[in-house]
Amino acid sequence: MATSLTLTGCGPESPRPEPAASGASAPSTAPTPEPSPKAPTYKILDKKALTKALLPLSAMPTGYSEDESGSSDGSDKTFCDYRQPYTAKIKVSRSYQKGGGLSAQLIMLSLRQHASPEQAKASFDKMAKTLETCRKDTSDGQKVTYALMNLPGLGERSLGVRIELRGGTALQGFALVGPTLVAAGTAGVLNADADEVADLLGKQVDGYSSVAVEE
């Protein structure tokens, strides 16, 4: 299941306006539209800083502990083995576990930072396009089925996918944030909660943005 989860000054006083002549149009009092907020820019982080941006144990739901065996740089397996237009320059992940046996549940978080926001967007777009038609796959010798899953809008774009395999169900959410693909997922034999995925993904997007957005 772990493999499947893989941003006054004052001028001179203006003269008093003359009353409008009869039949003349009164000056417009429509408010001036507010300027659009400037899109944030993101720093390229080194591996240590990117790892520090991963959510800590204290941000996990009650009952979870660190799963050192599941912490790695993440698998290079892609959905239906699609070819990535760009590969991430730095990949970090962290996992947490709860319970054991049939009641075991897993949370995995990952950050995949590309060389630029343009490369990250191209990679996200390719993944999203693939998942429109990718329904069946094989991972570690197991047959896997995929289905797109609704998630709230997070980052610049986001998507969710439900992964069914013999050992249980995994739910994974992805968000595009500047040069990085942010991912959060849960897996369990008996239980996997989509609301939990949405909450974790939102927190991880905020956690990454808090250290990566340039002031």
Side-chain angles (χ1 to χ4, degrees), residues 131 147-151 158-162 171-174 197:
L131 283 169
L148 285 172
M149 179 179 71
N150 183 43
L151 278 183
S158 60
L159 64 81
V161 58
R162 183 183 184 89
L171 306 177
Q172 193 158 18
F174 300 90
V197 173

Side-chain angles (χ1 to χ4, degrees), residues 37-61:
K38 183 180 178 181
T41 54
Y42 294 85
K43 296 177 286 189
I44 297 297
L45 305 177
D46 59 24
K47 189 167 186 176
K48 181 178 180 180
L50 198 63
T51 300
K52 190 175 181 180
L54 290 166
L55 291 179
L57 176 62
S58 59
M60 294 301 104

Side-chain angles (χ1 to χ4, degrees), residues 97-203:
Q97 64 180 356
K98 175 182 178 180
L102 292 177
S103 66
Q105 293 176 257
L106 177 72
I107 286 174
M108 183 171 283
L109 309 162
S110 71
L111 299 170
R112 296 190 174 211
Q113 180 180 257
H114 288 70
S116 68
E118 293 75 19
Q119 288 191 10
K121 181 180 182 301
S123 296
F124 186 96
D125 289 347
K126 180 65 175 182
M127 177 177 63
K129 184 67 176 178
T130 299
L131 283 169
E132 290 178 4
T133 55
C134 173
R135 294 291 177 266
K136 295 183 179 181
D137 196 6
T138 302
S139 178
D140 290 342
Q142 288 193 61
K143 291 182 179 181
V144 184
T145 60
Y146 302 122
L148 285 172
M149 179 179 71
N150 183 43
L151 278 183
L154 295 166
E156 294 150 48
R157 290 182 61 194
S158 60
L159 64 81
V161 58
R162 183 183 184 89
I163 307 167
E164 297 284 355
L165 62 167
R166 188 176 59 190
T169 300
L171 306 177
Q172 193 158 18
F174 300 90
L176 172 63
V177 187
T180 299
L181 296 187
V182 180
T186 67
V189 177
L190 300 178
N191 184 53
D193 190 341
D195 290 333
E196 189 173 81
V197 173
D199 181 62
L200 288 167
L201 184 61
K203 289 178 178 178

